[in-house]
Amino acid sequence: MAAPPASPQQAATKITDLDEDSLAHCAAYLSLQDLSNLAITSKFLKKVAYSDSIWLHRFRERWPLEMLSSSSLGVRKAYLDCRTALHQLKFADPFVLDLYTEASHFDHILLDKNDIIFSQGSVIKRMKTDSFLSGGTLVRMSDHNARITCMRLFPLRETSLVRSETQREENVLVTSSYDHSIRLWWKGACQRCFRGHNGAVSTLSDKLLGDGGAKVMASGGEDGTVRLWSLSSSGKRGQQALKATLYGHQKPVTSMSVAGHRTSLLVTMSKDSKVRVWDTTTSSAIRSSCCVGMTSVAGAPVDMKCHEALLYVAAGSSVVIVDLRTLQKVHTVAIYQPRLYSFAIMPSKSLICTGGFGKAMLWDIRRGQESSKPEAVAELDGHIGSVTLLHMDPYKIVTGGLGDSFVNAWETETGTKANSLLCNHPELGSANIRCSAMAVNACSIVTASYGESQGLVRFQDFSTATRPIVEYDNDQNVSKFWGTQSYNDSDGCDE
């Protein structure tokens, strides 16, 4: 005999009617992002998501031999502090992989997940770190016949190369060169070659333009033109890929960035520090009319980056903010004499970092807005020569340069030194070993140095590190959860 149907009252059971311990047991298997989403759902579910049993489970799974001190400010905080320390590279025993190459300058280096991509002259090399120790090969790509000027990674799904859903999370590599060409690489081979510039291609856009499926890439050249290319065009030679040529700059284009508030707006800067904003959706026979605004900054250009409707421009000895809606200069947020060599921004924290001679400087955008001379929050001191290598993310700042044998990691919030990493080796055969390129991704860092006899690409992965560095300060409020550890990272450092 069939059971009677459930009454409406029985069918109305809510998740909050469940036992809190049972919910916490289930929630222990959620990802860190899902736990965060659960915590903002309601006060009841926040209490569940913050339960010690959940974080103790995660902690023991991640660091099974780690002992939690009674002075720790809760298991959840201990877990998050330890995870933060990994992202800040505060460990003495990362996994290290060294690759020796020919002794020549490294122009560019990228980390695509754990794959290392670097260029020396006209040659690109790609190494899969996961398979290199087990006999994996170093892929050499040498279709360019002159020095490479820029390298970018773009999502494969925004090109015409995707053939299956499993490929949608992969990236394609795009490179520009003094040989007047742009090449798109995938699976270790050149899939497209774009030609059109009447000189060296000096730079590529930091992101693709457009919102829909037909994404567009921008390039700038020493011919002063800006060119727009479709990455959805078929044909290995890139026929019909050139969508527009924009005229207006009188000097070589040195950098370009896509606006954050409108992905159709492209901002470009030329060698004479003239800045132009282009609306790439404008259809016009006179391509200079696509320029919807112009301004200029003082000093030689260093770099520029867009965030929402603001443009951060580093040139000469200062960083200025320009409102892209009015093309008016809003504020000078950093000044460092005699000149800047690099800069990075962290808009979510209102922070800017600049590389100078012998040190980097950390600046808070919110400070000194009424003053004509901004003051730095912290000095990241101790470098030899100019700080030309600079990375910034929510956890850390990493600095280095040609004069240094080390790259330094610093806490983003305070500028406190977190670690100092050797990036060369005596086998390079020179007392004047130069670190010429660097890339950082979550808990991994790769540096490229060269001496008289050979070059060295050094990959350091902190996600499985076990030996923490002793805290630099004696702040009693810092959670003291460190101890002897031995574990495998099954959780993923970039969770």
Side-chain angles (χ1 to χ4, degrees), residues 214-434:
K215 295 285 187 175
V216 174
M217 177 186 67
S219 64
E222 292 200 349
D223 57 7
T225 65
V226 174
R227 300 187 187 240
L228 306 180
W229 310 86
S230 170
L231 295 187
S232 299
S233 62
S234 60
K236 188 167 184 178
R237 295 187 179 276
Q239 294 97 331
Q240 310 303 318
L242 182 60
K243 296 302 179 184
T245 301
L246 311 180
Y247 300 94
H249 284 295
Q250 304 301 313
K251 297 292 182 180
V253 179
T254 60
S255 56
M256 46 180 47
S257 184
V258 178
H261 67 305
R262 285 181 58 192
T263 57
S264 64
L265 291 183
L266 175 69
V267 186
T268 61
M269 181 165 58
S270 56
K271 201 169 184 178
D272 56 2
S273 297
K274 300 291 178 62
V275 176
R276 287 177 175 263
V277 182
W278 312 83
D279 186 348
T280 58
T281 60
T282 301
S283 177
S284 172
I286 305 173
R287 283 300 177 180
S288 60
S289 66
C290 296
C291 180
V292 295
M294 295 179 288
T295 189
S296 62
V297 293
V302 176
D303 201 358
M304 67 178 185
K305 302 180 190 298
C306 289
H307 175 68
E308 296 179 350
L310 299 178
L311 173 68
Y312 299 77
V313 187
S317 59
S318 64
V319 178
V320 299
I321 299 178
V322 176
D323 190 328
L324 292 174
R325 296 161 295 192
T326 63
L327 269 295
Q328 298 296 311
K329 296 173 187 175
V330 177
H331 184 44
T332 299
V333 292
I335 298 176
Y336 180 74
Q337 299 289 350
R339 57 162 295 192
L340 302 178
Y341 293 92
S342 57
F343 106 111
I345 63 172
M346 185 54 56
S348 61
K349 295 181 179 293
S350 301
L351 295 174
I352 288 178
C353 191
T354 58
F357 190 84
K359 60 185 174 183
M361 308 284 281
L362 184 63
W363 312 81
D364 190 328
I365 299 170
R366 298 163 296 187
R367 293 193 182 183
Q369 294 195 12
E370 305 301 323
S371 172
S372 59
K373 188 176 181 180
E375 294 185 3
V377 174
E379 293 187 5
L380 317 183
D381 209 346
H383 284 285
I384 301 171
S386 55
V387 179
T388 55
L389 307 177
L390 185 56
H391 165 86
M392 193 175 190
D393 64 39
Y395 298 96
K396 62 189 172 294
I397 300 165
V398 186
T399 56
L402 285 172
D404 276 318
S405 298
F406 291 84
V407 293
N408 294 326
W410 317 78
E411 294 179 9
T412 298
E413 295 279 5
T414 64
T416 302
K417 191 172 183 180
N419 205 345
S420 190
L421 307 174
L422 182 66
C423 57
N424 62 42
H425 204 274
E427 281 85 349
L428 298 189
S430 173
N432 187 24
I433 299 171
R434 300 173 178 271

